[in-house]
Amino acid sequence: MRRTARLFITAALLIPLLAACTSGSERSGIVVTTNILGDLTRAVVGDSVPVTVLMQAGADPHSFAISARQAADIEHAALVVHNGLGLEEGIARHVQSAVSAGVPTIAVAERADPIRYTSDESAGQPDPHFWTDPARVRLAVEAISAEVLAQVDGIDTGAVQANTQRYLGELDQLDRWMTDEFAAIPAERRQLVTDHHVFGYLAQRFGFRVIGAVIPSGTTLASPSASDLDALATAIRTAGVSAIFADSAQPDRLSRVLAEHTGLHVQVIALHTESLTPPGEGAATYLEMARVNAEAIARGLAGPTT
């Protein structure tokens, strides 16, 4: 009887260990939370391993949700690539659950030399929107590549390294092109007003001043008060801002109300700031998105405000 009891206890102790080993050996593929990171990850891995992107084109990274099946995909991934720093608010608990279950993960924004918000209700908190600076994207790609090689079994190392070097070269070209594009904007007109605080990295990298945001926060889930809009309208008039930049995937009603409230001729210009678009709609890849945004910013700030 004692021998039977000991065998039962031993088996009970071994079952979870065996389950853990099995779950680890059965993990496969890479799961990526946002479509911008999905594009970067696919640029690195090519066809070496399947990449599943959870966020649909045109969705809001702060609020998008996932299905039970997608949540299961996270738990069974060989690697989970997520932005981190509070960006994916709608699925944060699923990512944390994967971390607790021992799934290899990488919080990319934490590896891209993050900065902090300097104003409004997000002041002092880390800013997750690193991709508006191509030099930070370079750091992100290097981090993703290193983690893929370290965590994904059976990966074609040579292909990943070659893909990484090729893409880093394209990012360097983008960085030089954006520098030239913004050089045509006079220093006194390098002033940004956006629908929420999303361009801190771009401002730091290319010498812009952030005047404010319609939603005085780093997340689209916040909302402005009437006094917030009044204060920003005054700041726009004082600075002579010529354009408000709004995410094309978000309603621009508040941005248009603010533009009218200034009493100036202030354009509201749509950008692709937090999500890629479907193919053929202007920003299907990160490189395409960065270029079309830079061109729109340069055009929007080129003329005087009257």
Side-chain angles (χ1 to χ4, degrees):
M1 179 67 95
R2 290 178 182 173
R3 178 181 175 83
T4 302
R6 285 199 300 271
L7 288 174
F8 179 80
I9 293 170
T10 301
L13 292 172
L14 283 175
I15 286 173
L17 294 175
L18 291 172
C21 293
T22 301
S23 63
S25 64
E26 290 178 353
R27 291 185 182 127
S28 63
I30 300 173
V31 173
V32 189
T33 55
T34 72
N35 51 48
I36 293 174
L37 287 178
D39 184 58
L40 301 182
T41 302
R42 283 174 172 151
V44 165
V45 304
D47 297 327
S48 296
V49 65
V51 175
T52 300
V53 179
L54 300 178
M55 176 181 155
Q56 294 182 342
D60 184 341
H62 297 281
S63 61
F64 80 99
I66 59 175
S67 66
R69 181 182 181 124
Q70 289 173 310
D73 288 340
I74 294 176
E75 296 279 352
H76 293 93
L79 176 65
V80 174
V81 179
H82 66 111
N83 194 89
L85 298 185
L87 182 76
E88 304 101 320
E89 298 169 73
I91 64 164
R93 63 186 179 87
H94 296 293
V95 174
Q96 186 53 52
S97 176
V99 172
S100 299
V103 179
T105 63
I106 173 174
V108 177
E110 296 177 9
R111 308 275 286 273
D113 189 21
I115 63 176
R116 293 183 180 275
Y117 295 111
T118 58
S119 63
D120 293 330
E121 61 185 57
S122 295
Q125 298 176 26
D127 184 345
H129 305 95
F130 72 89
W131 58 85
T132 62
D133 174 6
R136 253 76 174 213
V137 175
R138 198 182 205 285
L139 296 176
V141 167
E142 290 174 334
I144 292 169
S145 179
E147 207 67 24
V148 166
L149 292 175
Q151 301 292 351
V152 181
D153 292 336
I155 196 77
D156 187 335
T157 301
V160 169
Q161 291 174 335
N163 290 339
T164 301
Q165 291 306 309
R166 174 191 56 77
Y167 196 72
L168 291 177
E170 293 186 39
L171 289 173
D172 291 341
Q173 290 178 4
L174 172 66
D175 198 326
R176 291 190 294 269
W177 178 86
M178 289 177 69
T179 301
D180 292 341
E181 188 77 5
F182 293 144
I185 306 172
E188 67 273 13
R189 292 184 188 160
R190 294 192 184 194
Q191 304 180 118
L192 293 173
V193 176
T194 53
D195 57 352
H196 73 292
H197 285 295
V198 70
F199 276 123
Y201 289 90
L202 182 142
Q204 183 191 80
R205 174 70 180 81
F206 296 106
F208 285 81
R209 177 187 171 206
V210 177
I211 301 298
V214 179
I215 299 174
S217 174
T219 173
T220 56
L221 302 184
S223 59
S225 66
S227 61
D228 290 330
L229 294 176
D230 283 341
L232 183 53
T234 299
I236 289 172
R237 284 193 295 269
T238 301
V241 172
S242 59
I244 298 170
F245 298 100
D247 192 317
S248 63
Q250 300 292 330
D252 65 357
R253 182 182 62 81
L254 282 176
S255 296
R256 295 193 177 280
V257 167
L258 175 63
E260 293 175 4
H261 191 47
T262 64
L264 304 175
H265 179 63
V266 178
Q267 304 177 76
V268 176
I269 298 174
L271 301 180
H272 306 287
T273 59
E274 293 194 295
S275 177
L276 302 182
T277 67
E281 295 187 16
T285 68
Y286 168 73
L287 295 174
E288 187 178 15
M289 179 185 77
R291 286 180 176 272
V292 73
N293 283 346
E295 288 173 344
I297 291 170
R299 284 196 309 270
L301 300 182
T305 305
T306 57

Short mmCIF file of all heavy atoms in Angstrom, two decimals, residues 229 232-237 241 244 255-267 305-306:
data_model
loop_
_atom_site.label_atom_id
_atom_site.label_comp_id
_atom_site.label_asym_id
_atom_site.label_seq_id
_atom_site.Cartn_x
_atom_site.Cartn_y
_atom_site.Cartn_z
N LEU A 229 -9.00 71.83 -24.76
CA LEU A 229 -9.09 72.30 -26.15
C LEU A 229 -8.88 73.81 -26.23
O LEU A 229 -8.21 74.31 -27.15
CB LEU A 229 -10.44 71.91 -26.75
CG LEU A 229 -10.67 70.40 -26.94
CD1 LEU A 229 -12.08 70.15 -27.45
CD2 LEU A 229 -9.64 69.80 -27.89
N LEU A 232 -5.16 74.47 -25.87
CA LEU A 232 -4.40 74.10 -27.06
C LEU A 232 -4.67 75.08 -28.20
O LEU A 232 -3.75 75.43 -28.96
CB LEU A 232 -4.76 72.67 -27.48
CG LEU A 232 -3.98 72.11 -28.69
CD1 LEU A 232 -2.47 72.24 -28.49
CD2 LEU A 232 -4.36 70.65 -28.92
N ALA A 233 -5.91 75.54 -28.35
CA ALA A 233 -6.23 76.53 -29.38
C ALA A 233 -5.40 77.80 -29.17
O ALA A 233 -4.88 78.39 -30.12
CB ALA A 233 -7.71 76.85 -29.38
N THR A 234 -5.26 78.21 -27.93
CA THR A 234 -4.45 79.39 -27.61
C THR A 234 -2.99 79.15 -27.96
O THR A 234 -2.31 80.02 -28.54
CB THR A 234 -4.58 79.74 -26.11
OG1 THR A 234 -5.94 80.04 -25.81
CG2 THR A 234 -3.69 80.92 -25.75
N ALA A 235 -2.49 77.94 -27.64
CA ALA A 235 -1.09 77.61 -27.95
C ALA A 235 -0.85 77.61 -29.46
O ALA A 235 0.20 78.05 -29.93
CB ALA A 235 -0.73 76.26 -27.34
N ILE A 236 -1.85 77.13 -30.21
CA ILE A 236 -1.72 77.09 -31.67
C ILE A 236 -1.68 78.50 -32.24
O ILE A 236 -0.86 78.82 -33.11
CB ILE A 236 -2.89 76.28 -32.28
CG1 ILE A 236 -2.71 74.79 -31.97
CG2 ILE A 236 -2.97 76.50 -33.80
CD1 ILE A 236 -3.90 73.94 -32.36
N ARG A 237 -2.55 79.37 -31.73
CA ARG A 237 -2.55 80.76 -32.20
C ARG A 237 -1.23 81.45 -31.85
O ARG A 237 -0.65 82.16 -32.69
CB ARG A 237 -3.72 81.52 -31.57
CG ARG A 237 -5.07 81.21 -32.18
CD ARG A 237 -6.13 82.21 -31.74
NE ARG A 237 -6.38 82.12 -30.30
CZ ARG A 237 -7.32 81.33 -29.75
NH1 ARG A 237 -8.08 80.57 -30.53
NH2 ARG A 237 -7.51 81.32 -28.44
N VAL A 241 0.79 77.79 -35.61
CA VAL A 241 0.81 76.44 -36.19
C VAL A 241 -0.08 76.39 -37.43
O VAL A 241 -1.18 76.95 -37.44
CB VAL A 241 0.34 75.41 -35.14
CG1 VAL A 241 0.16 74.04 -35.77
CG2 VAL A 241 1.33 75.35 -33.99
N ILE A 244 -2.77 70.51 -38.11
CA ILE A 244 -2.99 69.51 -37.07
C ILE A 244 -2.94 68.15 -37.75
O ILE A 244 -3.62 67.94 -38.77
CB ILE A 244 -4.34 69.71 -36.36
CG1 ILE A 244 -4.40 71.06 -35.67
CG2 ILE A 244 -4.61 68.57 -35.36
CD1 ILE A 244 -5.79 71.42 -35.17
N SER A 255 -10.30 67.15 -33.94
CA SER A 255 -9.23 67.91 -34.58
C SER A 255 -9.80 69.03 -35.43
O SER A 255 -9.27 70.16 -35.44
CB SER A 255 -8.36 66.98 -35.44
OG SER A 255 -7.70 66.02 -34.65
N ARG A 256 -10.90 68.76 -36.11
CA ARG A 256 -11.52 69.80 -36.96
C ARG A 256 -12.18 70.88 -36.11
O ARG A 256 -12.13 72.07 -36.46
CB ARG A 256 -12.52 69.15 -37.92
CG ARG A 256 -11.85 68.22 -38.92
CD ARG A 256 -12.73 67.81 -40.06
NE ARG A 256 -11.98 66.99 -41.01
CZ ARG A 256 -11.16 67.46 -41.93
NH1 ARG A 256 -10.99 68.78 -42.04
NH2 ARG A 256 -10.51 66.65 -42.74
N VAL A 257 -12.80 70.49 -35.02
CA VAL A 257 -13.38 71.47 -34.10
C VAL A 257 -12.27 72.38 -33.56
O VAL A 257 -12.43 73.61 -33.50
CB VAL A 257 -14.11 70.77 -32.94
CG1 VAL A 257 -14.44 71.76 -31.83
CG2 VAL A 257 -15.38 70.10 -33.44
N LEU A 258 -11.15 71.79 -33.20
CA LEU A 258 -10.03 72.58 -32.68
C LEU A 258 -9.50 73.54 -33.75
O LEU A 258 -9.23 74.72 -33.46
CB LEU A 258 -8.91 71.65 -32.21
CG LEU A 258 -7.62 72.33 -31.76
CD1 LEU A 258 -7.87 73.21 -30.54
CD2 LEU A 258 -6.54 71.30 -31.47
N ALA A 259 -9.36 73.05 -34.97
CA ALA A 259 -8.86 73.89 -36.05
C ALA A 259 -9.75 75.11 -36.25
O ALA A 259 -9.28 76.24 -36.42
CB ALA A 259 -8.75 73.08 -37.34
N GLU A 260 -11.07 74.91 -36.22
CA GLU A 260 -12.00 76.03 -36.37
C GLU A 260 -11.93 76.98 -35.18
O GLU A 260 -12.03 78.20 -35.32
CB GLU A 260 -13.43 75.49 -36.54
CG GLU A 260 -13.65 74.72 -37.83
CD GLU A 260 -15.04 74.11 -37.91
OE1 GLU A 260 -15.84 74.37 -36.97
OE2 GLU A 260 -15.31 73.36 -38.87
N HIS A 261 -11.72 76.41 -34.01
CA HIS A 261 -11.69 77.20 -32.78
C HIS A 261 -10.50 78.16 -32.73
O HIS A 261 -10.54 79.18 -32.03
CB HIS A 261 -11.66 76.26 -31.58
CG HIS A 261 -11.89 76.93 -30.26
ND1 HIS A 261 -12.91 77.85 -30.04
CD2 HIS A 261 -11.22 76.83 -29.07
CE1 HIS A 261 -12.86 78.26 -28.80
NE2 HIS A 261 -11.84 77.68 -28.18
N THR A 262 -9.43 77.84 -33.45
CA THR A 262 -8.24 78.71 -33.43
C THR A 262 -8.50 80.05 -34.13
O THR A 262 -7.82 81.03 -33.84
CB THR A 262 -7.05 78.04 -34.12
OG1 THR A 262 -7.34 77.84 -35.51
CG2 THR A 262 -6.72 76.70 -33.46
N GLY A 263 -9.45 80.06 -35.07
CA GLY A 263 -9.69 81.27 -35.84
C GLY A 263 -8.66 81.50 -36.93
O GLY A 263 -8.66 82.54 -37.60
N LEU A 264 -7.78 80.52 -37.14
CA LEU A 264 -6.76 80.60 -38.18
C LEU A 264 -7.07 79.60 -39.28
O LEU A 264 -7.95 78.76 -39.15
CB LEU A 264 -5.37 80.28 -37.59
CG LEU A 264 -4.91 81.13 -36.40
CD1 LEU A 264 -3.59 80.59 -35.89
CD2 LEU A 264 -4.78 82.59 -36.80
N HIS A 265 -6.33 79.72 -40.38
CA HIS A 265 -6.46 78.73 -41.45
C HIS A 265 -5.52 77.56 -41.12
O HIS A 265 -4.36 77.54 -41.51
CB HIS A 265 -6.09 79.34 -42.80
CG HIS A 265 -6.18 78.34 -43.92
ND1 HIS A 265 -7.36 77.74 -44.29
CD2 HIS A 265 -5.22 77.84 -44.75
CE1 HIS A 265 -7.14 76.91 -45.30
NE2 HIS A 265 -5.84 76.95 -45.59
N VAL A 266 -6.04 76.62 -40.35
CA VAL A 266 -5.25 75.47 -39.90
C VAL A 266 -5.78 74.22 -40.58
O VAL A 266 -6.97 73.88 -40.44
CB VAL A 266 -5.32 75.31 -38.37
CG1 VAL A 266 -4.54 74.08 -37.92
CG2 VAL A 266 -4.77 76.55 -37.68
N GLN A 267 -4.93 73.54 -41.31
CA GLN A 267 -5.33 72.32 -41.99
C GLN A 267 -5.39 71.15 -41.00
O GLN A 267 -4.63 71.11 -40.03
CB GLN A 267 -4.31 71.94 -43.07
CG GLN A 267 -4.05 72.99 -44.12
CD GLN A 267 -2.97 72.51 -45.07
OE1 GLN A 267 -3.20 71.67 -45.93
NE2 GLN A 267 -1.77 73.04 -44.90
N THR A 305 0.75 80.39 -41.86
CA THR A 305 -0.62 80.41 -41.33
C THR A 305 -1.18 81.81 -41.46
O THR A 305 -0.51 82.79 -41.16
CB THR A 305 -0.60 79.99 -39.85
OG1 THR A 305 0.05 78.71 -39.76
CG2 THR A 305 -2.00 79.88 -39.31
N THR A 306 -2.44 81.93 -41.90
CA THR A 306 -3.07 83.25 -42.04
C THR A 306 -4.37 83.28 -41.28
O THR A 306 -4.96 82.26 -40.99
CB THR A 306 -3.32 83.56 -43.52
OG1 THR A 306 -4.13 82.52 -44.09
CG2 THR A 306 -2.01 83.65 -44.29
#
